[in-house]
Amino acid sequence: MTKPLRIGVAGLGTVGVGVVKILAARREFLAAAAGRSIDIVAVSARNKGKSRGVDLGSARWEDDARALATADDVDVVVELIGGAEGVARELVETALANGKHVVTANKALIAQHGIALAKLAESKGVALNYEAAVAGGIPIIKALREGLAANEIESVTGILNGTCNYILTEMEATGRDFADVLKDAQALGYAEADPSFDVGGIDAAHKLAILASLAFGREVDFGSVNIEGIEKITAADIKFAKEFGYKIKLLAIATKSDGGIEQRVHPALVAEGSPLAAVSGVFNAVAVRGDRVGLLVLEGRGAGEGPTASAVLSDLVDIARGLVMPPFIVPTSHLKAPVKARASGSESPYYLRFNAVDRAGSMAEITRALADAAVSIERIVQRGDEGDTGRKPVVFVTHRTQEGSMRNALAHLSKLEDVAGTPLVIRIEDGESR
């Protein structure tokens, strides 16, 4: 009889409990699919006495999660603690060093230490699987690592943070501003008490760095991701975007050029008829463009108990079947060094919104400043006074413009007395941006 795959689970939060539930509900099927049973033999979490609503059976409790990494009866360590440093990192490093397979949902750990961990896993001949680290239940890691291996990937574009997507969706549906909708998201559990990791774009950037490495065969380069969050988006921006035929989404985009890899996370205007514009609420989506398959779009729940635990179990089934692959498709010795593309050469249309002082000649000075920076205007929308301040909200939509030119334009505008405050600039992803 084939020996069971014995796992130790570190972290019994939402995802850890989901893993326990799925193993209990699907035990017979998973054993048949994997060729042997998958058994939880040990667990660890911060609070032993907490009621979690699941039966842990005969699983041994370890007060220190790091004990799982050296336990003789553990074949696979499932790390669901989170964080790039501390116990999570120590647990994974020690487990791999001791020849144990690792399954993790920790995007920060993989984004910041993935290459070093992959080298260690390869040296020990064990698996380092992390399907659950990116986009929850969407099998994007498997798609890139296996299903799309025959393709040269040209770009990866994703809605990778459900918190941001929920907030932007609600702002559009209700007409309320960011701060108001954020409070609702926190009350519903979609946003943390400190939401900066999500709304500031860092969570999406971790995921993008991982996807870019897989897509382009380079070492993970989180430090080169240009990051901008959604905190400055207003209800007025959502309304203007709709008027122009767009929706605002937080996009994570990685593209390859002759100069290197461009990685960026930022709000963007996307055409209402496009696949990503239709992704609403807490859902995630990833669009991959390959030279053989063309555009492939995967959509689904990006977080939560069921979707993320489902991804963890898919990795465990692979290990139970004896499938051990290089964590980043090819051995780390074959990964190219990261090269950051020159961002100033990137080109797209832009949405530009600011308040202009209401006086004769002000608009002429503003348009002249834009022209001096080689920014061509496609549309101008000007609204009535903002209260009694004598300032008028003005929105420009530009023709395709190099990012360097837009930066120069902002520098020019900042020197004008007719421009009140800092202009908001949002890229328009028109399907041709590069």
Side-chain angles (χ1 to χ4, degrees):
M1 184 175 179
T2 305
K3 187 173 69 172
L5 183 71
R6 303 167 299 177
I7 69 172
V9 179
L12 289 173
T14 300
V15 180
V17 167
V19 169
V20 175
K21 288 180 179 178
I22 293 175
L23 276 175
R26 303 275 288 170
R27 177 171 298 280
E28 290 186 10
F29 177 84
L30 290 172
R36 53 175 165 158
S37 66
I38 301 173
D39 298 342
I40 299 175
V41 298
V43 297
S44 182
R46 283 182 294 185
N47 186 350
K48 183 177 182 179
K50 180 179 177 180
S51 176
R52 296 175 171 86
V54 292
D55 181 9
L56 296 174
S58 58
R60 182 178 71 259
W61 182 274
E62 295 286 2
D63 290 323
D64 187 344
R66 288 166 289 201
L68 300 174
T70 56
D72 291 336
D73 61 345
V74 172
D75 304 312
V76 185
V77 170
V78 179
E79 185 274 305
L80 303 173
I81 299 169
E85 306 298 338
V87 174
R89 182 181 178 184
E90 293 175 29
L91 171 63
V92 171
E93 287 178 338
T94 306
L96 294 173
N98 279 277
K100 299 186 186 300
H101 305 289
V102 169
V103 172
T104 180
N106 193 336
K107 61 264 185 181
L109 181 70
I110 299 300
Q112 296 186 43
H113 305 296
I115 299 303
L117 295 174
K119 289 179 180 178
L120 181 55
E122 290 168 10
S123 72
K124 295 294 183 177
V126 295
L128 170 62
N129 290 354
Y130 50 89
E131 183 67 65
V134 180
I138 302 174
I140 186 58
I141 305 299
K142 286 184 182 295
L144 289 170
R145 193 160 60 180
E146 300 169 32
L148 296 174
N151 286 257
E152 182 174 351
I153 304 301
E154 299 167 2
S155 66
V156 178
T157 303
I159 294 173
L160 299 178
N161 184 271
T163 299
C164 289
N165 205 46
Y166 171 83
I167 290 172
L168 292 171
T169 300
E170 285 298 300
M171 288 175 68
E172 179 189 0
T174 64
R176 291 182 295 160
D177 260 320
F178 170 80
D180 191 23
V181 176
L182 173 59
K183 290 179 182 178
D184 282 357
Q186 290 170 320
L188 291 168
Y190 295 149
E192 301 291 339
D194 177 4
S196 56
F197 191 78
D198 290 314
V199 301
I202 299 170
D203 174 77
H206 280 143
K207 297 169 183 175
L208 180 67
I210 296 169
L211 293 181
S213 175
L214 290 165
F216 306 126
R218 294 180 182 268
E219 295 179 1
V220 182
D221 189 18
F222 171 68
S224 292
V225 184
N226 293 319
I227 307 172
E228 180 184 349
I230 66 170
E231 304 97 321
K232 296 178 182 178
I233 303 299
T234 67
D237 296 315
I238 302 284
K239 187 176 180 181
F240 277 123
K242 186 173 181 62
E243 183 176 330
F244 300 145
Y246 295 98
K247 293 187 177 184
I248 297 179
K249 298 291 184 182
L250 182 75
L251 295 188
I253 303 170
T255 55
K256 180 171 61 175
S257 67
D258 293 339
I261 307 300
E262 183 180 9
Q263 301 177 88
R264 46 192 170 87
V265 172
H266 57 75
L269 272 68
V270 295
E272 285 189 334
S274 65
L276 293 182
V279 180
S280 62
V282 296
F283 278 68
N284 282 195
V286 184
V288 180
R289 187 174 294 279
D291 65 339
R292 305 297 178 183
V293 298
L295 183 65
L296 175 69
V297 181
L298 302 176
E299 178 185 355
R301 295 187 179 276
E305 177 184 300
T308 310
S310 171
V312 170
L313 263 298
S314 73
D315 281 342
L316 286 170
V317 168
D318 279 350
I319 293 171
R321 289 169 171 167
L323 181 61
V324 177
M325 298 176 62
F328 291 94
I329 303 180
V330 298
T332 50
S333 59
H334 287 67
L335 293 173
K336 297 178 181 178
V339 177
K340 184 177 180 179
R342 185 173 60 90
S344 60
S346 180
E347 186 179 278
S348 72
Y350 284 89
Y351 165 99
L352 175 63
R353 191 255 305 157
F354 56 89
N355 290 326
V357 176
D358 185 16
R359 71 169 182 83
S362 64
M363 191 59 67
E365 286 196 19
I366 291 168
T367 54
R368 188 180 305 115
L370 293 171
D372 289 344
V375 176
S376 174
I377 304 302
E378 180 182 352
R379 292 185 63 179
I380 301 176
V381 176
Q382 189 170 355
R383 296 289 186 244
D385 287 357
E386 190 180 69
D388 58 356
T389 63
R391 300 171 180 176
K392 291 181 179 291
V394 180
V395 171
F396 290 96
V397 173
T398 77
H399 289 105
R400 297 180 61 75
T401 302
Q402 285 199 338
E403 185 171 337
S405 297
M406 181 53 69
R407 289 179 183 172
N408 290 335
L410 292 176
H412 287 314
L413 291 175
S414 67
K415 298 175 183 178
L416 297 181
E417 294 181 359
D418 295 309
V419 175
T422 303
L424 176 72
V425 179
I426 308 177
R427 287 178 65 123
I428 299 175
E429 294 298 331
D430 58 356
E432 300 177 6
S433 300
R434 61 185 183 278

